[in-house]
Amino acid sequence: MFQQFFTPTVQHTLDLMGIFVFAISGALLAVRKNFDIFGIAMLAEVTALGGGLFRDVVIGALPPAAFTDLGYFITPLGAALLVFFLHPHVERIQSAVNVFDAAGLGLFCVIGTTKAYTYGLGLTASAALGLATAVGGGVLRDVLANEVPSLLRWDRDLYAVPAMVGAAMVVLCIRFDALNPFTAGVAALTAFALRLLAMRYHWRAPRAWNRRSSGVEVDEATT
């Protein structure tokens, strides 16, 4: 499976890179919400590790990797400290952070799907957990920050859909016995590219067909 395609050192490095970038996004939201240092650290940890924790608990991979590898726990704290002291500079490179976040999305949806399948889940359930691995931390982040999760908002660029596509590609490769380093990489790159295109062209999911009115129209009607 995908975890076996790289040496443990390379796999660990990739995991930490994805965790670090997700933690940056959580810490930045905490700063915008005017949270204190504890709140910044909490949102960084939850965003970085929430999806993986959920996956590991569901598949029975206990204790979760986040509690057995100190690096997984320390990395979000490092990201939180970086944002705490240098958030104006981090905000200025937000576009670069978004690119790395998209890379983490592609990587984690593939890793999550293959790990779930390795632990005996079916193809559909494995794809669902791959999606949860990629986006679960962001959902928890938004809930803790008292916001509607970004992946549920029509006015946000596609985020869950690229992860769904990547996970679906992985399970199709498993189904036809075609999962290998190349096809796993293609799945991750496809999710990555779709997320970048969604940010570039502001692709959004469709809303309900034949809506009677939008929120803006309702507001205007009541003023």
Side-chain angles (χ1 to χ4, degrees):
M1 289 302 171
F2 188 74
Q3 288 88 344
Q4 300 171 332
F5 296 157
F6 301 109
T7 65
T9 300
V10 172
Q11 179 62 47
H12 190 253
T13 301
L14 291 172
D15 284 345
L16 292 181
M17 288 173 60
I19 286 171
F20 182 81
V21 175
F22 284 165
I24 289 286
S25 69
L28 284 174
L29 178 59
V31 170
R32 296 185 190 114
K33 289 286 187 175
N34 203 31
F35 287 4
D36 61 15
I37 180 61
F38 179 79
I40 294 172
M42 179 63 69
L43 244 60
E45 290 280 357
V46 166
T47 307
L49 304 177
L53 281 172
F54 175 78
R55 176 204 62 216
D56 288 350
V57 169
V58 169
I59 65 178
L62 302 173
F67 293 105
T68 59
D69 189 320
L70 187 60
Y72 285 13
F73 184 78
I74 294 297
T75 299
L77 294 181
L81 286 175
L82 178 68
V83 171
F84 180 78
F85 289 107
L86 300 174
H87 63 88
H89 303 287
V90 177
E91 291 275 11
R92 283 199 288 269
I93 61 169
Q94 182 65 55
S95 59
V97 172
N98 288 340
V99 171
F100 284 107
D101 180 85
L105 182 81
L107 176 68
F108 281 9
C109 73
V110 173
I111 290 176
T113 303
T114 55
K115 186 171 183 178
Y117 185 76
T118 300
Y119 274 77
L121 270 67
L123 295 179
T124 301
S126 295
L129 279 183
L131 172 63
T133 303
V135 306
V139 172
L140 292 174
R141 173 202 64 205
D142 292 342
V143 169
L144 288 176
N146 198 29
E147 290 196 350
V148 176
S150 296
L151 63 84
L152 300 180
R153 294 180 55 174
W154 72 270
D155 59 340
R156 298 296 176 88
D157 301 332
L158 292 178
Y159 194 81
V161 171
M164 291 172 61
V165 171
M169 291 177 66
V170 172
V171 296
L172 284 174
C173 289
I174 294 172
R175 171 65 179 80
F176 294 103
D177 197 24
L179 187 64
N180 54 51
F182 176 76
T183 55
V186 169
L189 286 174
T190 299
F192 172 60
L194 285 175
R195 173 57 180 161
L196 290 183
L197 289 170
M199 291 189 294
R200 173 65 178 83
Y201 296 106
H202 302 296
W203 291 347
R204 293 166 183 171
R207 289 184 285 172
W209 187 255
N210 284 335
R211 299 185 326 279
R212 293 179 61 85
S213 63
S214 67
V216 174
E217 290 168 348
V218 170
D219 291 341
E220 290 176 349
T222 57
T223 57

